[in-house]
Amino acid sequence: MSEQTTATTAATTEVADDEPRAALKRKDNRAWWLVLPVVVSVAFTAVIPLMTVVNFSVQDVFSPSERVFVGLEWFRSISRDPEVRSALVRTLLFSAQVLLLEIPLGVALAAVMPRRGVWVSAALVLVALPLLIPWNVVGTIWQIFARGDIGLGGWTVNNVLGINFNYTLDSTDAWITVLVMDVWHWTPLVALLAYAGLRSIPEPYFQAAQIDGASAWATFRHVQLPRLRGVLTIAILLRFMDSFMIYTEPFVVTGGGPGNATSFLSILLSKIAVGQFDVGPAAAFSLLYFLIVQILCYVFFTVLTRSGR
């Protein structure tokens, strides 16, 4: 009898404990109503357009009312197109050069920026100024700045340094112009991220390094750089994605030329979609483009996170 009473009491207690939990769970479910506007917004701005692109990628569209299902034909033709492969190589090379230049320059700029005093705010504002300029304006600025006849940068290179520089005719000059423009525009982003990482390092770390007699390079290598791994991972991923999808700046400055020297994947995609209005191939191209970005970002993230363990 006593055992039955104990069991009954335990069951009653368990049911009583479950009632507040169930009520709390029902109450928490109301939070989904706060998420619903975001879900609807993402559906209309991302999911539905993506499904539309998928639909066009498997059809040959002749008119709004006339189309033919072609399956994976556009994917095969795009993947075998030598012009697309050349643009992919140029884009990968450009992204690699951007990372090799902007990451070290950004970290070096962050290391020399003041950490205390009245000059901190001024330094942050000056460094962040290029980031406030719209992409098309950046392209216009460098389109004029790099010209040899009226641009200060191009005139200086031609007349002061004695180098024959003309980005409208020489493919190497055009590539250098686009690369330097991107470095000028986006290195401040890396610098600000690295600066935030450096400011988060506790002061006792530097005091211990100073007591041990560590040099500035040893302090940077063993104290600062390991603590920057997280922000540098973010910086590398952001700069890779943005440089791999760059469009506005090189289109404004060179239009993808001279020839195809600065014709990246984004510019070639725009040419197929807008210039030629080949909806099917452009849709397949954009999906393959999206897949490449996702795969490369996953590889970057995996390598960077595993190397930090």
Side-chain angles (χ1 to χ4, degrees):
M1 193 69 179
S2 176
E3 293 180 357
Q4 285 185 344
T5 303
T6 303
T8 303
T9 304
T12 305
T13 304
E14 185 176 353
V15 171
D17 291 339
D18 288 341
E19 288 180 356
R21 295 176 185 174
L24 183 60
K25 187 175 182 180
R26 287 194 299 270
K27 185 178 180 180
D28 287 345
N29 287 337
R30 299 175 186 175
W32 286 103
W33 291 102
L34 300 176
V35 184
L36 185 60
V38 178
V39 175
V40 174
S41 177
V42 171
F44 277 98
T45 59
V47 177
I48 294 178
L50 180 61
M51 293 299 100
T52 304
V53 172
V54 172
N55 181 41
F56 283 139
S57 68
V58 294
Q59 300 185 64
D60 192 0
V61 181
F62 298 101
S63 67
S65 59
E66 186 178 359
R67 58 189 69 185
V68 178
F69 180 78
V70 296
L72 300 178
E73 179 62 30
W74 297 132
F75 290 94
R76 285 191 288 265
S77 63
I78 289 297
S79 60
R80 296 170 183 171
D81 192 340
E83 190 174 2
V84 174
R85 295 182 179 180
S86 299
L88 175 60
V89 172
R90 283 191 294 271
T91 308
L92 288 172
L93 179 61
F94 180 78
S95 297
Q97 292 177 347
V98 162
L99 293 178
L100 290 175
L101 290 173
E102 293 183 9
I103 300 301
L105 285 176
V107 174
L109 181 59
V112 299
M113 289 173 61
R115 299 185 185 179
R116 56 179 62 89
V118 296
W119 294 105
V120 173
S121 299
L124 290 175
V125 171
L126 289 175
V127 169
L129 279 179
L131 300 175
L132 304 178
I133 305 176
W135 296 330
N136 56 339
V137 178
V138 171
T140 304
I141 290 173
W142 279 84
Q143 183 187 40
I144 299 173
F145 179 76
R147 286 187 55 173
D149 51 352
I150 61 174
L152 178 61
W155 184 90
T156 302
V157 172
N158 285 331
N159 296 278
V160 178
L161 301 181
I163 301 175
N164 186 17
F165 180 85
N166 190 341
Y167 71 87
T168 61
L169 298 177
D170 189 271
S171 58
T172 303
D173 294 343
W175 184 276
I176 293 174
T177 301
V178 174
L179 182 61
V180 173
M181 174 182 60
D182 192 87
V183 170
W184 173 83
H185 191 196
W186 290 110
T187 298
L189 175 64
V190 181
L192 292 177
L193 290 172
Y195 184 76
L198 291 175
R199 289 291 300 269
S200 66
I201 301 176
E203 192 63 29
Y205 283 80
F206 298 100
Q207 295 174 355
Q210 186 177 8
I211 293 173
D212 292 339
S215 62
W217 169 249
T219 303
F220 172 77
R221 180 181 177 184
H222 298 288
V223 176
Q224 295 175 314
L225 191 58
R227 306 282 294 187
L228 289 177
R229 190 180 301 275
V231 294
L232 289 183
T233 299
I234 298 174
I236 290 173
L237 288 175
L238 289 176
R239 289 307 306 127
F240 168 76
M241 287 188 293
D242 190 68
S243 63
F244 195 79
M245 297 184 295
I246 189 173
Y247 171 76
T248 305
E249 298 97 318
F251 181 78
V252 172
V253 176
T254 64
N260 293 324
T262 56
S263 180
F264 303 116
L265 285 174
S266 57
I267 295 179
L268 182 59
L269 175 59
S270 176
K271 175 183 175 182
I272 296 174
V274 180
Q276 303 172 1
F277 202 70
D278 291 334
V279 179
F285 191 169
S286 62
L287 290 177
L288 290 175
Y289 197 177
F290 175 76
L291 182 62
I292 292 172
V293 172
Q294 296 299 315
I295 292 175
L296 291 177
C297 287
Y298 174 77
V299 171
F300 266 105
F301 180 77
T302 303
V303 172
L304 291 172
T305 52
R306 288 184 177 180
S307 62
R309 295 177 182 174

